[in-house]
């Protein structure tokens, strides 16, 4: 049985969506990161970096969302091609999110909500968020899914941050193909189940 430790953030949504898509049984424990519990010794045994998400799969820990999705894809043979160009594209767009949209859009939200408003930081992270959303827009003008083939872990990885980024920069009109892609993913049954489970679990805390 997979034990999932997560929260209702863009990074936290990814493994829930993945698990719903591939149909593996799992137990979900919400880790309220506003309390700092993820920095305590018990959780550091699961993720030494003290962040969500993380999983325990038959006693073996996996942390970082990209690593989790790759592990689950390889475990089941689903949502990641075994070889060829589409696999390389899926992995490339997976790590595009890890090193790009996640950090930049995350910092944009951070500085917008900071008690001290720093114009340079706000401009830098909004400009970079827009640039990265534009990269996704360009890709999706020529492809239905990021791998260039079927729906894959690359789409799951980028979905929540793209949705957050579009809202943050009011970019639905500027990036129409990206907005349509976000809408299509949001209409998938597995995605609806995942987001509903997270919402219900948080409401029960």
């Amino acid at each position: 049985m997979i034990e999932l430790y997560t929260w209702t953030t863009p990074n936290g949504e990814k493994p829930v969506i993945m698990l719903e898509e591939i149909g593996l049984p799992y137990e979900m424990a919400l880790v309220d990161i506003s309390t700092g519990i993820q920095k305590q010794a018990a959780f550091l045994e699961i993720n030494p970096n003290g962040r969500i998400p993380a999983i325990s799969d038959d006693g073996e820990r996996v942390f970082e969302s990209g690593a989790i999705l790759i592990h689950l894809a390889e475990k089941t043979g689903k949502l990641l091609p075994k070889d060829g160009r589409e696999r390389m594209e899926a992995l490339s767009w997976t790590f595009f999110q890890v090193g790009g949209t996640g950090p930049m859009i995350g910092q944009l939200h951070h500085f917008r909500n900071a008690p001290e408003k720093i114009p340079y930081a706000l401009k830098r992270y909004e400009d970079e968020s827009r640039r990265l959303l534009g990269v996704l827009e360009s890709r999706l003008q020529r492809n239905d899914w990021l791998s260039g083939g079927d729906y894959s872990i690359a789409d799951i990885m980028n979905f929540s941050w793209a949705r957050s980024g579009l809202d943050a920069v009011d970019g639905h009109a500027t990036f129409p193909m990206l907005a349509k892609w976000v809408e299509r993913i949001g209409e998938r049954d597995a995605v609806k189940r995942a987001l509903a489970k997270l919402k219900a679990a948080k409401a029960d805390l």
Side-chain angles (χ1 to χ4, degrees):
M1 174 70 75
I2 291 172
E3 298 171 6
L4 168 63
Y5 304 88
T6 195
W7 187 239
T8 56
T9 62
N11 286 333
E13 290 175 355
K14 298 176 210 172
V16 190
I17 293 171
M18 181 67 175
L19 285 162
E20 290 294 328
E21 289 280 11
I22 61 180
L24 283 181
Y26 66 99
E27 294 180 352
M28 181 169 66
L30 286 193
V31 179
D32 185 348
I33 58 176
S34 69
T35 67
I37 193 172
Q38 74 277 14
K39 304 298 184 183
Q40 295 179 6
F43 190 80
L44 293 176
E45 290 295 319
I46 302 165
N47 182 353
N49 195 31
R51 294 178 179 272
I52 59 91
I55 66 170
S56 175
D57 186 355
D58 290 330
E60 297 296 330
R61 72 182 186 190
V62 187
F63 55 91
E64 294 294 333
S65 59
I68 293 168
L69 265 62
I70 291 170
H71 167 72
L72 294 173
E74 292 184 339
K75 179 184 178 78
T76 60
K78 296 179 180 180
L79 297 178
L80 179 63
K82 289 183 170 55
D83 52 36
R85 180 183 59 81
E86 288 180 19
R87 177 183 175 85
M88 292 301 99
E89 288 289 334
L91 290 172
S92 295
W93 288 103
T94 290
F95 286 97
F96 167 85
Q97 187 280 307
V98 171
T101 53
M104 295 300 106
I105 296 168
Q107 290 296 322
L108 175 59
H109 285 297
H110 172 81
F111 281 103
R112 281 185 174 174
N113 293 314
E116 179 185 357
K117 303 305 178 188
I118 304 173
Y120 171 81
L122 289 167
K123 183 177 187 306
R124 166 177 164 70
Y125 289 115
E126 180 166 345
D127 288 350
E128 186 63 4
S129 294
R130 287 184 179 278
R131 186 190 71 79
L132 291 165
L133 294 173
V135 174
L136 289 169
E137 173 73 13
S138 178
R139 177 66 174 171
L140 293 165
Q141 287 173 352
R142 302 187 300 275
N143 299 275
D144 289 338
W145 304 111
L146 290 174
S147 72
D150 294 331
Y151 177 79
S152 73
I153 63 168
D155 301 289
I156 298 172
M157 286 290 293
N158 280 275
F159 164 68
S160 294
W161 280 112
R163 183 185 58 183
S164 177
L166 286 171
D167 290 342
V169 303
D170 194 19
H172 292 79
T174 306
F175 308 110
M177 297 306 294
L178 179 59
K180 289 178 182 177
W181 171 86
V182 166
E183 183 178 359
R184 274 191 291 132
I185 294 177
E187 290 173 350
R188 294 177 67 89
D189 289 342
V191 176
K192 289 179 180 178
R193 287 196 305 271
L195 298 182
K197 285 184 177 182
L198 280 167
K199 183 177 180 179
K202 186 176 182 180
D204 288 341
L205 290 179

